[in-house]
Amino acid sequence: MISILLLLLFIFSALSVPVCEGVISGLYLFGIKVFPGLFISFILTGMLVRILEYKGTKSIVILVLAGIMTGFPNGAYICSWYKKNNPDSRFTDRLAGLINIPSPAFLISYVYINILERKISLVIFLLVTYIPVILCSIILLLKYNHKQRNEKNLSQNLNFRKLFKIFEESVNASVETTLKLGVYIILFSVIISIMQCIPIKGFINKMLAGSLEISNGLCIIKQSDLPYIFRLSAIVFLDAFGGICTIMQTKCVCGQYISIKKYICQKMILCIVTQIILILTYVLKLI
């Protein structure tokens, strides 16, 4: 551990300029473009998850919808919560990678407005992103839902005091979650800034850097000189994949209950289906 810290200090000293540039870039990206659209979403997500836990909800359909609406890493967290309470379930091992995707708040406030700059229809963009998730989830529901045990869950009434407590816990957790997200964004901004100093240039460098973290990766795609349709394809691909940073977050939060190997395989399947849907919309001249 000491050797690793000394190595990191050496890298920081030798590459202080790109490191500082990465920190500044990450702070700007997080504070100006990412945080405003996600903070309220995290509060609502926290309340939703806590209410689901409090009510003992085991409806898989609700879990799928909640995962789609809350975004990563909360989609995977919902699956890990279900797996924790249903250890015999095979469904969530195959679902986490599908519903652990960007929330509508992130897609609209950051991707659609800042990256795509409203150049395509918002409805088409959301459909291209979420139809693959819904299709794959339906296939899993048909295959595995009949194997789940139907247990009667104890449901408790929620009064104002309990709801207010849930709200307070959600606000506190949202602050912690957004700060952690900011740390990840800044850390990967620094890595990307260092990578740009490496002699490997061109498409390979951009592809490697863009795959690390979704927010920075989307900026790299936007600034590239690729034709518009290829940039759009790369954007929806990264939205579905989430980046290596998201995999690390998922491993940290859900590693005990979710198989990361299966998670990555699910992400690859989702990316392929998303590209097929995008091609269909392009052939039909919807974009």
Side-chain angles (χ1 to χ4, degrees):
M1 180 60 69
I2 295 178
S3 301
I4 294 175
L5 291 176
L6 289 174
L7 178 61
L8 290 175
L9 285 173
F10 173 77
I11 293 175
F12 176 79
S13 301
L15 301 171
S16 57
V17 173
V19 168
C20 292
E21 290 177 349
V23 171
I24 294 172
S25 174
L27 283 171
Y28 175 80
L29 179 63
F30 172 70
I32 303 299
K33 297 185 176 181
V34 176
F35 179 81
L38 288 184
F39 183 62
I40 299 300
S41 176
F42 276 129
I43 294 177
L44 296 177
T45 296
M47 293 184 67
L48 176 61
V49 172
R50 283 166 175 78
I51 290 174
L52 289 176
E53 292 178 349
Y54 191 85
K55 302 291 286 186
T57 302
K58 293 185 179 181
S59 172
I60 292 176
V61 175
I62 293 179
L63 297 180
V64 172
L65 294 177
I68 291 175
M69 294 302 297
T70 55
F72 48 63
N74 293 316
Y77 169 73
I78 292 173
C79 289
S80 67
W81 166 80
Y82 186 89
K83 181 69 174 181
K84 178 181 178 181
N85 293 278
N86 301 271
D88 296 330
S89 172
R90 298 174 59 196
F91 181 77
T92 47
D93 281 339
R94 293 157 176 80
L95 182 67
L98 300 178
I99 66 173
N100 200 41
I101 58 172
S103 65
F106 179 83
L107 290 178
I108 295 172
S109 64
Y110 181 66
V111 182
Y112 181 72
I113 294 176
N114 293 288
I115 303 301
L116 291 175
E117 297 178 333
R118 300 184 174 92
K119 291 182 179 179
I120 66 171
S121 167
L122 174 60
V123 174
I124 297 297
F125 173 59
L126 293 177
L127 288 176
V128 168
T129 303
Y130 290 122
I131 282 181
V133 179
I134 295 173
L135 288 176
C136 294
S137 298
I138 289 174
I139 293 173
L140 286 178
L141 282 170
L142 294 175
K143 186 175 182 180
Y144 294 103
N145 191 28
H146 69 281
K147 299 180 181 180
Q148 307 301 320
R149 292 180 299 177
N150 294 320
E151 299 177 357
K152 187 175 181 180
N153 302 319
L154 296 176
S155 178
Q156 305 180 50
N157 293 325
L158 288 172
N159 54 35
F160 178 79
R161 179 179 297 179
K162 292 176 182 177
L163 283 174
F164 186 75
K165 182 179 179 181
I166 287 175
F167 173 75
E168 285 187 323
E169 292 175 350
S170 300
V171 170
N172 294 334
S174 298
V175 172
E176 181 180 356
T177 303
T178 49
L179 288 177
K180 286 182 179 179
L181 178 62
V183 170
Y184 274 104
I185 291 176
I186 293 171
L187 175 61
F188 279 86
S189 294
V190 171
I191 295 174
I192 291 172
S193 180
I194 293 175
M195 286 183 63
Q196 292 175 347
C197 299
I198 299 175
I200 302 176
K201 300 294 182 181
F203 178 76
I204 296 178
N205 187 289
K206 291 180 179 179
M207 183 176 68
L208 292 174
S211 64
L212 291 177
E213 196 274 326
I214 184 171
S215 302
N216 289 285
L218 290 171
C219 285
I220 292 173
I221 295 171
K222 177 184 177 181
Q223 297 168 2
S224 68
D225 54 0
L226 294 171
Y228 172 74
I229 187 61
F230 290 103
R231 278 188 283 126
L232 180 60
S233 176
I235 287 170
V236 297
F237 179 91
L238 189 55
D239 285 338
F241 178 63
I244 297 174
C245 178
T246 302
I247 296 177
M248 293 177 60
Q249 291 176 340
T250 303
K251 175 65 177 177
C252 178
V253 175
C254 313
Q256 184 178 356
Y257 301 104
I258 301 297
S259 170
I260 295 300
K261 290 182 179 180
K262 292 180 181 179
Y263 175 88
I264 295 174
C265 291
Q266 295 152 21
K267 279 297 180 187
M268 292 297 99
I269 294 173
L270 180 63
C271 290
I272 292 172
V273 177
T274 301
Q275 292 300 305
I276 293 174
I277 297 297
L278 178 64
I279 292 172
L280 289 176
T281 57
Y282 180 75
V283 171
L284 296 174
K285 298 182 179 180
L286 298 176
I287 55 176

